[in-house]
Amino acid sequence: MQFTDLRLSPAILKAVTAQGYDTPTPIQQQAIPAVLDHQDLLAAAQTGTGKTAGFTLPLLQNLIDSKNVVKSNNVRALVLTPTRELAAQVQESVETYGQFLDLRSAVVFGGVKINPQMLKLRRGVDILVATPGRLLDLYSQNAVTFSQLEVLVLDEADRMLDMGFIRDIQKIIRLLPKQRQNLMFSATFSDDIRELAKTIVVNPVEVSVTPKNAAAKSVTQWVIPVEKSKKPALLPSFIKSHHWRQVLVFSKTKHGANRLAKKLESSGILAAAIHGNKSQAARTRALADFKSGDVQVLVATDIAARGLDISELPHVINYDLPNVAADYVHRIGRTGRAGATGEAVSFVCDEDAELLRDVQNLIGEILERRPVAGFEPDKPLPEFALNTKPKKIKKPKKPKGDSASADPGQKPRRARNPNASASGDRSKPPSRRRTPNKSA
């Protein structure tokens, strides 16, 4: 199958060809026809599978086919994402594939001034990419309305739930027209995702292209047993000795990410940290420098790295193993994409042994151990046999120390007030001011 077989307009195909693509990925082959047929969609696809183009291309096609003219402060298609970085990536995809179309788009998220976003919405936009908290803020200020909405896209729905944004999503759903097309994308079809889907999609086409908890076969994985106190010295030594030029390093905490970046810099390796305490401008600059090669190592926390799209990333290092084994698959899935090969290395000390066992049971593989002379742990890591019995996977906990990295305008729910939202609402949709809309 080629893109030319997918009922896309010449203008869209021109943009696709300009990016060097001619063959759709498996998720695109399944999702695009369903979306073009105006069916609701429930799709399981991880980052790196081409899922963004899988909904962007048919979304653009359907919007130009309907020929509706968007009114002031209105939106025809809404894409919700859990983080600023993912929102920016989706908007970039919309602009890339819609460059030859007469459609307007915008992206809104917290961490930046709201007034420019309000001005952009005054003319109305065909496609709005948004994080939930900032969208509710804009709605409460009468800057956006949904009477013309045709399509809702919920991207990375699993992460939305993990980060505690379910009530914001529910508030937004109540504001939308009941007659609309709904597209939901998630890494897996967990029970929670299916419960959420029941409130959003109607008789959806269900597609899945990623085996549950599978790691890409193109990624070589191994473990370095190391004494915890020697980890800081091992990182720069390892990167230098292997001559790795572009490395994404995962740290459990934002403070740890800062320390690692400073350690690398002091060792003569250009590095930058990306996490919730960084301003949006700093995070955008760090990512751009990393992509361009001006920064050799990007140190990130899990949430800050969610949605990062770095083409042909060759190396990932788990300086800290994640507390939730499923996050390991998300981390290493950032390398070895689109047919390229990649390497994923994990530094494991004695106190991380249980986390390593969970990871190996999840992926169904015993990871090779490659000790590094001079950094061996004082106490050898225990050996684990795979547990072949079905095991209930623990759900990721709501972020605490790094929750701000998602969007300052969208805060995870707190147990003491389960009905609170990021915009301060308690139970009802945000109130609308009675001031009239202003057109540009």
Side-chain angles (χ1 to χ4, degrees), residues 3 8-21 28 50 52-58 60-61 64 89-101 103 309:
F3 277 108
L8 298 174
S9 71
I12 294 177
L13 290 174
K14 180 180 178 181
V16 171
T17 302
Q19 296 303 306
Y21 301 126
Q28 292 164 1
T52 303
F55 65 78
T56 299
L57 295 174
L60 291 167
Q61 184 66 53
I64 61 174
Q89 298 286 354
V90 173
Q91 170 65 0
E92 182 179 351
S93 178
V94 170
E95 291 179 340
T96 297
Y97 297 119
Q99 60 183 300
F100 303 115
L101 303 175
L103 294 174
D309 186 7

Side-chain angles (χ1 to χ4, degrees), residues 263-387:
K263 175 66 177 178
L264 291 167
E265 289 278 355
S266 66
S267 301
I269 297 175
L270 294 176
I274 180 170
H275 54 69
N277 280 0
K278 297 284 186 178
S279 68
Q280 183 61 35
R283 294 164 70 175
T284 301
R285 183 170 60 252
L287 180 58
D289 289 344
F290 183 62
K291 287 183 175 182
S292 68
D294 292 335
V295 165
Q296 182 179 350
V297 180
L298 185 65
V299 187
T301 53
D302 280 302
I303 296 174
R306 187 71 173 186
L308 292 185
D309 186 7
I310 306 165
S311 60
E312 299 182 1
L313 174 67
H315 311 294
V316 170
I317 293 178
N318 292 301
Y319 183 87
D320 300 309
L321 281 178
N323 289 326
V324 179
D327 284 341
Y328 173 86
V329 178
H330 289 302
R331 288 181 178 187
I332 71 171
R334 300 182 188 285
T335 185
R337 297 183 179 185
T341 58
E343 294 178 282
V345 184
S346 299
F347 294 178
V348 183
C349 58
D350 178 64
E351 66 182 52
D352 294 331
E354 294 299 314
L355 298 178
L356 175 61
R357 181 193 62 183
D358 291 344
V359 165
Q360 291 180 155
N361 283 333
L362 185 69
I363 66 176
E365 179 182 351
I366 298 296
L367 298 177
E368 178 187 357
R369 301 183 183 193
R370 302 181 187 177
V372 176
F375 295 95
E376 301 91 339
D378 296 336
K379 182 180 179 181
L381 292 178
E383 298 288 344
F384 298 110
L386 291 179
N387 181 5

Side-chain angles (χ1 to χ4, degrees), residues 78 80-82 131-137 154 160-161 163-176 196 407-413 418-426 428-430:
L78 173 64
L80 290 177
T81 71
T131 51
R134 178 49 61 95
L135 183 67
L136 288 171
D137 289 341
L154 195 61
M160 293 271 202
L161 297 185
M163 295 171 67
F165 299 142
I166 180 62
R167 294 194 181 276
D168 279 352
I169 294 172
Q170 292 170 338
K171 282 174 180 265
I172 292 169
I173 295 298
R174 291 198 294 267
L175 302 176
L176 307 181
L196 177 62
D407 183 351
Q410 53 185 91
K411 300 177 182 178
R413 306 286 69 83
N419 291 321
S421 79
S423 55
D425 194 282
R426 291 299 179 269
K428 301 179 181 180

Side-chain angles (χ1 to χ4, degrees), residues 133-150:
R134 178 49 61 95
L135 183 67
L136 288 171
D137 289 341
L138 287 163
Y139 183 86
S140 70
Q141 296 188 50
N142 206 35
V144 63
T145 188
F146 304 106
S147 60
Q148 285 189 284
L149 190 84
E150 301 171 30

Side-chain angles (χ1 to χ4, degrees), residues 12 51 108 147 245 324 414 428 435 439:
I12 294 177
K51 68 177 175 66
V108 296
S147 60
R245 302 305 308 168
V324 179
R414 297 181 182 274
K428 301 179 181 180
T435 53
S439 59

